[in-house]
Amino acid sequence: MIDTDAVEQLSRRTLGPEHKSLPPRSWGHTVESFLATSPRLSEFTTPVLTLDRARMASNISVMADWTARAGVLLAPHGKTSMAPQLWKQQLDAGSWAITLATGWQVQVARAFGVGRIVLANAEIDPVALTWVAAELDSHPTFEFYCWADSVATVHEMDRILATQGQRQIPVIVELGGPHGRTGARTIEEAVSVARTIAASSRLTLAGVGGYEGALSHDRSEDGLEAVRRYLAQVAHLHRALDAEGLYGEHAVVTAGGSAYQDLVVERLHSLTTDDGVRTDVVLRSGAYVVHDDGFYSQISPLTPARTDAPLTSAMHGWARAVSRPEPGLALLDAGKRDFPFDEGMPVPQHIRGNELLDPGAEVTALNDQHAFLRLPAEDAAALPVGSVVRLGLSHPCTAFDKWRLVPVIDDADSDDPRVVDLVHTFF
Protein backbone atom coordinates (compact mmCIF):
# COMPACT_ATOMS: atom_id res chain seq x y z
CA MET A 1 0.00 0.00 0.00
CA ILE A 2 3.02 2.31 0.26
CA ASP A 3 6.54 2.26 -1.17
CA THR A 4 8.73 1.41 1.83
CA ASP A 5 11.91 2.23 -0.07
CA ALA A 6 10.64 5.71 -0.96
CA VAL A 7 9.80 6.37 2.68
CA GLU A 8 13.16 5.07 3.85
CA GLN A 9 14.92 7.37 1.36
CA LEU A 10 13.79 10.28 3.52
CA SER A 11 16.31 9.22 6.16
CA ARG A 12 19.08 9.87 3.64
CA ARG A 13 18.15 13.47 2.95
CA THR A 14 20.71 16.10 3.92
CA LEU A 15 19.95 18.53 6.73
CA GLY A 16 20.64 22.25 6.61
CA PRO A 17 19.63 25.66 7.97
CA GLU A 18 16.41 25.52 5.96
CA HIS A 19 15.16 23.00 8.53
CA LYS A 20 13.73 25.12 11.30
CA SER A 21 15.14 24.71 14.82
CA LEU A 22 17.64 21.94 14.03
CA PRO A 23 21.04 22.49 15.71
CA PRO A 24 23.83 23.81 13.46
CA ARG A 25 25.88 20.67 14.13
CA SER A 26 23.26 18.73 12.14
CA TRP A 27 23.90 20.69 8.94
CA GLY A 28 25.53 18.54 6.28
CA HIS A 29 24.50 15.32 8.03
CA THR A 30 21.87 13.02 6.62
CA VAL A 31 18.89 12.43 8.88
CA GLU A 32 20.24 8.94 9.51
CA SER A 33 23.76 10.02 10.45
CA PHE A 34 22.53 12.87 12.66
CA LEU A 35 20.18 10.60 14.61
CA ALA A 36 23.08 8.18 15.13
CA THR A 37 24.68 10.87 17.35
CA SER A 38 21.79 10.53 19.85
CA PRO A 39 20.75 14.21 19.86
CA ARG A 40 18.81 15.67 22.76
CA LEU A 41 15.96 18.16 22.55
CA SER A 42 18.01 20.72 24.50
CA GLU A 43 20.32 20.98 21.46
CA PHE A 44 17.47 22.26 19.28
CA THR A 45 16.68 25.95 19.12
CA THR A 46 13.32 27.27 20.24
CA PRO A 47 10.60 27.39 19.17
CA VAL A 48 10.23 23.76 18.21
CA LEU A 49 7.34 21.35 17.60
CA THR A 50 7.82 17.76 18.77
CA LEU A 51 6.02 14.44 18.41
CA ASP A 52 6.14 11.78 21.13
CA ARG A 53 7.00 8.36 19.64
CA ALA A 54 5.30 6.18 22.25
CA ARG A 55 2.14 8.27 22.34
CA MET A 56 1.82 8.22 18.55
CA ALA A 57 2.26 4.46 18.49
CA SER A 58 -0.41 4.13 21.17
CA ASN A 59 -2.83 6.39 19.30
CA ILE A 60 -2.41 4.48 16.05
CA SER A 61 -3.04 1.22 17.90
CA VAL A 62 -6.04 2.61 19.79
CA MET A 63 -7.71 3.77 16.58
CA ALA A 64 -6.93 0.57 14.70
CA ASP A 65 -8.44 -1.50 17.51
CA TRP A 66 -11.46 0.79 17.84
CA THR A 67 -12.36 0.64 14.13
CA ALA A 68 -11.81 -3.11 14.00
CA ARG A 69 -14.19 -3.65 16.93
CA ALA A 70 -16.71 -1.27 15.35
CA GLY A 71 -16.63 -3.20 12.07
CA VAL A 72 -15.68 -0.22 9.89
CA LEU A 73 -12.71 0.66 7.70
CA LEU A 74 -10.30 3.53 8.31
CA ALA A 75 -8.94 5.84 5.61
CA PRO A 76 -7.13 8.42 7.75
CA HIS A 77 -7.01 11.94 6.41
CA GLY A 78 -3.44 12.39 5.24
CA LYS A 79 -3.79 16.17 4.95
CA THR A 80 -3.45 16.36 8.73
CA SER A 81 0.26 15.59 8.64
CA MET A 82 1.22 15.34 4.94
CA ALA A 83 3.89 13.03 6.32
CA PRO A 84 4.48 9.77 4.40
CA GLN A 85 6.36 8.34 7.39
CA LEU A 86 3.19 8.60 9.47
CA TRP A 87 1.00 7.39 6.60
CA LYS A 88 3.13 4.26 6.49
CA GLN A 89 2.59 3.64 10.20
CA GLN A 90 -1.15 4.08 9.75
CA LEU A 91 -1.29 1.77 6.74
CA ASP A 92 0.91 -0.81 8.46
CA ALA A 93 -1.62 -0.79 11.33
CA GLY A 94 -4.38 -1.80 8.93
CA SER A 95 -5.77 1.41 7.43
CA TRP A 96 -7.70 0.73 4.24
CA ALA A 97 -6.61 3.88 2.36
CA ILE A 98 -5.27 7.39 2.79
CA THR A 99 -7.67 10.30 2.37
CA LEU A 100 -6.48 13.58 0.85
CA ALA A 101 -7.98 16.95 -0.01
CA THR A 102 -6.34 18.25 -3.21
CA GLY A 103 -5.02 16.89 -6.48
CA TRP A 104 -1.49 17.93 -5.56
CA GLN A 105 -1.71 16.00 -2.28
CA VAL A 106 -2.76 12.95 -4.28
CA GLN A 107 0.35 13.37 -6.44
CA VAL A 108 2.56 13.47 -3.32
CA ALA A 109 0.95 10.29 -2.03
CA ARG A 110 1.43 8.52 -5.32
CA ALA A 111 5.10 9.55 -5.33
CA PHE A 112 5.37 7.44 -2.18
CA GLY A 113 3.41 4.56 -3.65
CA VAL A 114 0.14 4.89 -1.73
CA GLY A 115 -2.05 2.36 -3.48
CA ARG A 116 -5.58 3.41 -2.49
CA ILE A 117 -6.57 7.06 -2.17
CA VAL A 118 -9.83 8.79 -1.32
CA LEU A 119 -9.92 12.39 -2.51
CA ALA A 120 -12.54 13.92 -0.20
CA ASN A 121 -13.24 16.64 -2.71
CA ALA A 122 -14.37 17.17 -6.28
CA GLU A 123 -11.62 16.89 -8.88
CA ILE A 124 -12.37 19.17 -11.81
CA ASP A 125 -8.94 20.72 -12.29
CA PRO A 126 -8.09 19.65 -15.87
CA VAL A 127 -4.38 19.14 -15.20
CA ALA A 128 -4.95 17.11 -12.02
CA LEU A 129 -7.81 15.00 -13.41
CA THR A 130 -5.91 14.24 -16.61
CA TRP A 131 -2.96 13.14 -14.49
CA VAL A 132 -5.22 10.87 -12.40
CA ALA A 133 -6.59 9.22 -15.53
CA ALA A 134 -3.07 8.56 -16.80
CA GLU A 135 -1.95 7.27 -13.41
CA LEU A 136 -4.86 4.82 -13.26
CA ASP A 137 -4.05 3.51 -16.74
CA SER A 138 -0.34 3.15 -15.94
CA HIS A 139 -0.91 1.38 -12.62
CA PRO A 140 -3.72 -1.19 -12.80
CA THR A 141 -3.62 -1.87 -9.05
CA PHE A 142 -4.00 1.80 -8.08
CA GLU A 143 -7.44 2.63 -6.63
CA PHE A 144 -8.78 6.17 -6.58
CA TYR A 145 -12.06 7.70 -5.42
CA CYS A 146 -13.21 11.31 -5.63
CA TRP A 147 -16.42 13.20 -4.84
CA ALA A 148 -19.14 15.11 -6.70
CA ASP A 149 -21.97 17.19 -5.26
CA SER A 150 -23.67 18.52 -8.40
CA VAL A 151 -24.66 17.48 -11.88
CA ALA A 152 -22.48 20.32 -13.17
CA THR A 153 -19.44 18.74 -11.47
CA VAL A 154 -20.14 15.40 -13.17
CA HIS A 155 -20.55 17.05 -16.58
CA GLU A 156 -17.24 18.90 -16.10
CA MET A 157 -15.46 15.66 -15.21
CA ASP A 158 -16.94 14.01 -18.31
CA ARG A 159 -15.78 16.92 -20.47
CA ILE A 160 -12.21 16.77 -19.15
CA LEU A 161 -12.05 12.99 -19.46
CA ALA A 162 -13.58 12.81 -22.94
CA THR A 163 -10.26 11.86 -24.52
CA GLN A 164 -8.38 10.75 -21.41
CA GLY A 165 -7.70 7.32 -19.99
CA GLN A 166 -9.43 3.97 -20.26
CA ARG A 167 -10.45 3.13 -16.69
CA GLN A 168 -13.64 4.52 -15.20
CA ILE A 169 -13.09 6.78 -12.19
CA PRO A 170 -15.13 5.87 -9.08
CA VAL A 171 -17.07 8.86 -7.77
CA ILE A 172 -18.77 9.24 -4.39
CA VAL A 173 -21.87 11.43 -4.16
CA GLU A 174 -21.38 14.02 -1.44
CA LEU A 175 -24.36 14.95 0.72
CA GLY A 176 -24.05 18.20 2.63
CA GLY A 177 -26.09 19.77 5.38
CA PRO A 178 -27.65 23.15 6.21
CA HIS A 179 -24.96 25.80 6.74
CA GLY A 180 -22.34 23.12 6.13
CA ARG A 181 -19.55 23.04 3.60
CA THR A 182 -19.77 21.37 0.18
CA GLY A 183 -22.31 18.67 -0.64
CA ALA A 184 -25.71 18.46 -2.29
CA ARG A 185 -28.22 20.06 0.05
CA THR A 186 -31.12 17.67 -0.53
CA ILE A 187 -31.62 13.96 -1.11
CA GLU A 188 -33.29 14.74 -4.42
CA GLU A 189 -30.28 16.72 -5.67
CA ALA A 190 -27.91 13.95 -4.56
CA VAL A 191 -29.96 11.29 -6.35
CA SER A 192 -29.75 13.35 -9.56
CA VAL A 193 -25.98 13.53 -9.18
CA ALA A 194 -25.82 9.75 -8.67
CA ARG A 195 -27.94 9.08 -11.76
CA THR A 196 -25.70 11.32 -13.84
CA ILE A 197 -22.59 9.49 -12.61
CA ALA A 198 -24.15 6.11 -13.30
CA ALA A 199 -25.02 7.20 -16.86
CA SER A 200 -21.47 8.33 -17.61
CA SER A 201 -19.11 6.18 -19.65
CA ARG A 202 -16.11 7.78 -17.92
CA LEU A 203 -17.27 7.47 -14.31
CA THR A 204 -18.79 4.89 -12.02
CA LEU A 205 -20.92 5.40 -8.91
CA ALA A 206 -18.86 4.29 -5.90
CA GLY A 207 -20.96 5.35 -2.93
CA VAL A 208 -22.08 8.16 -0.67
CA GLY A 209 -20.03 10.45 1.54
CA GLY A 210 -20.00 13.58 3.61
CA TYR A 211 -18.54 15.45 6.55
CA GLU A 212 -20.58 15.69 9.72
CA GLY A 213 -18.02 17.82 11.57
CA ALA A 214 -19.21 20.94 9.73
CA LEU A 215 -22.59 20.70 11.46
CA SER A 216 -21.50 20.92 15.09
CA HIS A 217 -18.56 22.11 17.13
CA ASP A 218 -19.34 20.58 20.52
CA ARG A 219 -21.00 17.66 22.30
CA SER A 220 -24.10 19.49 23.44
CA GLU A 221 -27.38 17.63 22.97
CA ASP A 222 -28.33 19.95 20.12
CA GLY A 223 -24.95 19.46 18.46
CA LEU A 224 -25.07 15.68 18.71
CA GLU A 225 -28.64 15.58 17.44
CA ALA A 226 -27.69 17.68 14.40
CA VAL A 227 -24.95 15.18 13.56
CA ARG A 228 -27.28 12.22 14.04
CA ARG A 229 -29.94 13.75 11.76
CA TYR A 230 -27.36 14.35 9.06
CA LEU A 231 -25.94 10.82 9.26
CA ALA A 232 -29.46 9.40 9.04
CA GLN A 233 -29.83 11.31 5.76
CA VAL A 234 -26.56 9.84 4.48
CA ALA A 235 -27.89 6.35 5.24
CA HIS A 236 -31.22 7.16 3.58
CA LEU A 237 -29.45 8.38 0.43
CA HIS A 238 -27.33 5.24 0.20
CA ARG A 239 -30.38 2.98 0.53
CA ALA A 240 -32.23 4.99 -2.11
CA LEU A 241 -29.38 4.62 -4.60
CA ASP A 242 -29.12 0.90 -3.85
CA ALA A 243 -32.87 0.41 -4.31
CA GLU A 244 -32.64 2.11 -7.69
CA GLY A 245 -29.89 -0.28 -8.77
CA LEU A 246 -27.33 2.46 -9.46
CA TYR A 247 -24.40 0.67 -7.85
CA GLY A 248 -22.24 -2.12 -9.20
CA GLU A 249 -21.15 -4.93 -6.90
CA HIS A 250 -19.76 -2.81 -4.06
CA ALA A 251 -20.39 0.56 -2.43
CA VAL A 252 -18.60 2.79 0.07
CA VAL A 253 -20.30 5.02 2.62
CA THR A 254 -17.80 7.40 4.14
CA ALA A 255 -17.99 10.00 6.90
CA GLY A 256 -16.21 10.77 10.07
CA GLY A 257 -13.69 13.31 11.13
CA SER A 258 -12.03 12.99 14.53
CA ALA A 259 -14.90 14.38 16.62
CA TYR A 260 -17.99 12.23 16.00
CA GLN A 261 -16.77 8.89 14.70
CA ASP A 262 -18.80 7.16 17.41
CA LEU A 263 -21.98 8.63 15.93
CA VAL A 264 -20.91 7.57 12.43
CA VAL A 265 -20.70 3.98 13.64
CA GLU A 266 -23.96 4.32 15.57
CA ARG A 267 -25.89 5.57 12.54
CA LEU A 268 -24.14 3.92 9.58
CA HIS A 269 -22.77 0.54 10.65
CA SER A 270 -26.10 -1.20 9.93
CA LEU A 271 -25.53 -0.47 6.23
CA THR A 272 -22.82 -3.14 6.21
CA THR A 273 -25.36 -5.84 7.06
CA ASP A 274 -28.31 -4.67 4.91
CA ASP A 275 -29.55 -6.83 2.09
CA GLY A 276 -28.47 -5.40 -1.22
CA VAL A 277 -25.12 -4.19 -2.47
CA ARG A 278 -22.07 -5.12 -0.41
CA THR A 279 -21.24 -1.98 1.57
CA ASP A 280 -18.25 -0.81 3.57
CA VAL A 281 -18.41 2.10 6.01
CA VAL A 282 -15.19 4.09 5.90
CA LEU A 283 -14.06 6.59 8.54
CA ARG A 284 -11.71 9.39 7.50
CA SER A 285 -10.42 10.46 10.93
CA GLY A 286 -7.02 12.14 10.69
CA ALA A 287 -6.27 14.04 13.90
CA TYR A 288 -6.08 10.90 16.05
CA VAL A 289 -2.46 10.10 15.15
CA VAL A 290 -1.23 12.93 17.38
CA HIS A 291 -4.51 14.02 19.03
CA ASP A 292 -4.13 17.28 21.01
CA ASP A 293 -4.47 19.14 24.31
CA GLY A 294 -7.24 21.42 23.04
CA PHE A 295 -10.23 20.96 20.76
CA TYR A 296 -10.02 17.19 20.19
CA SER A 297 -9.13 16.49 23.81
CA GLN A 298 -12.58 17.83 24.67
CA ILE A 299 -14.76 16.61 21.81
CA SER A 300 -13.34 13.23 20.72
CA PRO A 301 -15.18 10.09 21.82
CA LEU A 302 -11.75 8.60 22.61
CA THR A 303 -10.96 10.70 25.69
CA PRO A 304 -10.40 9.35 29.22
CA ALA A 305 -13.88 10.47 30.27
CA ARG A 306 -15.49 8.43 27.47
CA THR A 307 -13.37 5.30 27.05
CA ASP A 308 -10.95 3.05 28.91
CA ALA A 309 -8.60 3.14 25.91
CA PRO A 310 -8.15 6.84 25.20
CA LEU A 311 -6.01 8.82 22.80
CA THR A 312 -3.28 11.01 24.28
CA SER A 313 -1.67 14.15 22.95
CA ALA A 314 1.55 13.30 21.12
CA MET A 315 2.40 16.84 19.97
CA HIS A 316 3.90 19.66 22.01
CA GLY A 317 5.40 23.04 21.43
CA TRP A 318 8.50 24.24 23.23
CA ALA A 319 9.18 27.97 23.55
CA ARG A 320 11.62 30.13 25.52
CA ALA A 321 10.85 33.15 27.70
CA VAL A 322 12.75 35.97 25.99
CA SER A 323 11.26 38.97 27.79
CA ARG A 324 9.65 39.81 31.15
CA PRO A 325 8.61 43.40 30.43
CA GLU A 326 5.91 43.62 33.11
CA PRO A 327 4.98 41.74 36.29
CA GLY A 328 2.82 38.78 35.34
CA LEU A 329 3.78 38.83 31.65
CA ALA A 330 6.31 36.69 29.81
CA LEU A 331 6.92 36.86 26.08
CA LEU A 332 7.81 33.50 24.52
CA ASP A 333 9.67 33.13 21.23
CA ALA A 334 6.85 31.24 19.45
CA GLY A 335 3.93 32.58 17.48
CA LYS A 336 1.47 32.01 14.67
CA ARG A 337 4.23 30.88 12.31
CA ASP A 338 5.19 28.09 14.69
CA PHE A 339 2.11 26.68 16.46
CA PRO A 340 -1.63 26.31 15.71
CA PHE A 341 -4.07 28.88 17.09
CA ASP A 342 -7.29 28.53 15.06
CA GLU A 343 -8.92 26.13 17.55
CA GLY A 344 -7.53 27.61 20.75
CA MET A 345 -4.35 29.08 22.16
CA PRO A 346 -1.38 26.93 23.22
CA VAL A 347 -1.71 25.70 26.80
CA PRO A 348 1.31 26.18 29.13
CA GLN A 349 2.05 22.89 30.90
CA HIS A 350 5.43 23.05 32.59
CA ILE A 351 8.92 24.47 32.50
CA ARG A 352 11.43 22.08 30.93
CA GLY A 353 12.74 19.94 33.73
CA ASN A 354 9.14 19.23 34.77
CA GLU A 355 8.65 22.20 37.07
CA LEU A 356 4.91 22.78 36.95
CA LEU A 357 3.47 26.14 36.05
CA ASP A 358 0.58 27.56 38.06
CA PRO A 359 -2.74 26.33 36.55
CA GLY A 360 -3.68 29.98 36.16
CA ALA A 361 -0.90 30.58 33.62
CA GLU A 362 -2.42 31.30 30.21
CA VAL A 363 -1.35 32.20 26.69
CA THR A 364 -3.71 35.04 25.81
CA ALA A 365 -2.45 36.07 22.37
CA LEU A 366 -0.04 35.17 19.59
CA ASN A 367 1.83 37.50 17.25
CA ASP A 368 3.81 36.20 14.28
CA GLN A 369 6.78 35.18 16.46
CA HIS A 370 5.71 35.88 20.06
CA ALA A 371 3.32 34.37 22.58
CA PHE A 372 1.90 36.42 25.46
CA LEU A 373 2.05 34.23 28.57
CA ARG A 374 0.13 35.71 31.50
CA LEU A 375 1.11 34.50 34.96
CA PRO A 376 -0.92 34.77 38.19
CA ALA A 377 0.27 37.48 40.56
CA GLU A 378 1.58 34.98 43.11
CA ASP A 379 3.56 33.21 40.38
CA ALA A 380 4.75 36.30 38.52
CA ALA A 381 8.45 35.76 39.21
CA ALA A 382 8.48 32.00 38.60
CA LEU A 383 9.57 32.13 34.98
CA PRO A 384 12.97 33.80 34.54
CA VAL A 385 14.21 34.87 31.12
CA GLY A 386 15.70 31.86 29.37
CA SER A 387 13.21 29.33 30.78
CA VAL A 388 11.76 26.86 28.27
CA VAL A 389 8.03 26.15 28.51
CA ARG A 390 6.28 23.06 27.18
CA LEU A 391 2.98 23.94 25.54
CA GLY A 392 0.00 21.76 24.82
CA LEU A 393 -1.41 22.48 21.37
CA SER A 394 -4.85 22.42 19.76
CA HIS A 395 -5.67 21.18 16.23
CA PRO A 396 -3.10 18.93 14.52
CA CYS A 397 -4.17 20.03 11.02
CA THR A 398 -2.68 23.48 11.52
CA ALA A 399 0.39 22.32 13.44
CA PHE A 400 2.24 20.19 10.87
CA ASP A 401 1.95 22.71 8.04
CA LYS A 402 4.36 25.09 9.77
CA TRP A 403 7.26 22.61 9.83
CA ARG A 404 9.32 20.85 7.12
CA LEU A 405 10.85 18.50 9.68
CA VAL A 406 9.34 17.60 13.03
CA PRO A 407 11.54 16.01 15.72
CA VAL A 408 10.18 12.82 17.25
CA ILE A 409 11.20 12.39 20.89
CA ASP A 410 11.28 9.35 23.11
CA ASP A 411 9.42 10.84 26.08
CA ALA A 412 7.87 14.31 26.28
CA ASP A 413 7.77 14.04 30.07
CA SER A 414 11.50 13.49 30.57
CA ASP A 415 13.87 16.27 31.63
CA ASP A 416 15.70 16.29 28.29
CA PRO A 417 14.06 14.01 25.73
CA ARG A 418 16.15 12.10 23.20
CA VAL A 419 15.35 12.85 19.54
CA VAL A 420 14.78 9.49 17.85
CA ASP A 421 13.45 10.49 14.43
CA LEU A 422 12.69 13.43 12.15
CA VAL A 423 9.35 13.42 10.31
CA HIS A 424 9.29 15.08 6.88
CA THR A 425 6.16 16.98 5.87
CA PHE A 426 5.06 17.99 2.36
CA PHE A 427 3.05 21.21 2.34
Side-chain angles (χ1 to χ4, degrees), residues 267-423:
R267 287 297 192 237
L268 300 183
H269 179 264
S270 63
L271 300 177
T272 65
T273 57
D274 278 358
D275 292 336
V277 68
R278 179 171 62 86
T279 301
D280 285 315
V281 172
V282 179
L283 292 176
R284 303 189 312 278
S285 311
Y288 75 90
V289 67
V290 295
H291 198 48
D292 71 7
D293 282 308
F295 176 71
Y296 287 111
S297 72
Q298 301 299 316
I299 200 170
S300 169
L302 299 178
T303 63
R306 301 184 182 109
T307 180
D308 293 332
L311 302 172
T312 56
S313 180
M315 68 172 182
H316 298 92
W318 304 79
R320 193 178 307 272
V322 294
S323 177
R324 295 298 314 269
E326 303 169 8
L329 173 64
L331 275 299
L332 308 181
D333 62 352
K336 294 178 180 179
R337 293 181 175 179
D338 309 301
F339 301 142
F341 57 92
D342 57 314
E343 292 286 3
M345 290 288 122
V347 179
Q349 295 178 330
H350 62 66
I351 303 171
R352 189 155 65 195
N354 281 326
E355 180 183 346
L356 294 177
L357 281 167
D358 188 290
E362 181 184 10
V363 173
T364 57
L366 292 182
N367 292 161
D368 285 351
Q369 304 287 186
H370 290 93
F372 289 73
L373 175 58
R374 302 285 177 178
L375 300 166
E378 61 273 16
D379 203 31
L383 191 70
V385 167
S387 302
V388 176
V389 178
R390 191 183 87 178
L391 300 164
L393 304 175
S394 180
H395 199 197
C397 290
T398 49
F400 283 91
D401 64 331
K402 297 167 176 61
W403 296 84
R404 293 182 182 182
L405 274 180
V406 186
V408 179
I409 55 179
D410 61 348
D411 182 2
D413 293 326
S414 68
D415 289 348
D416 190 9
R418 188 166 61 92
V419 176
V420 294
D421 203 356
L422 295 171
V423 166

Side-chain angles (χ1 to χ4, degrees), residues 45-98:
T45 62
T46 53
V48 62
L49 174 73
T50 63
L51 306 175
D52 184 294
R53 178 174 61 181
R55 295 184 188 194
M56 281 198 300
S58 174
N59 289 344
I60 290 170
S61 177
V62 164
M63 194 64 178
D65 291 346
W66 190 88
T67 52
R69 288 195 304 272
V72 297
L73 301 176
L74 179 61
H77 215 318
K79 75 172 174 63
T80 299
S81 67
M82 283 305 294
Q85 290 155 276
L86 301 188
W87 298 346
K88 182 179 185 303
Q89 293 177 34
Q90 293 169 299
L91 290 167
D92 287 349
S95 290
W96 176 75
I98 293 294

Side-chain angles (χ1 to χ4, degrees), residues 201-220:
S201 63
R202 313 301 302 166
L203 311 173
T204 183
L205 181 65
V208 172
Y211 177 53
E212 74 287 349
L215 305 178
S216 180
H217 212 65
D218 57 39
R219 278 193 170 260
S220 66

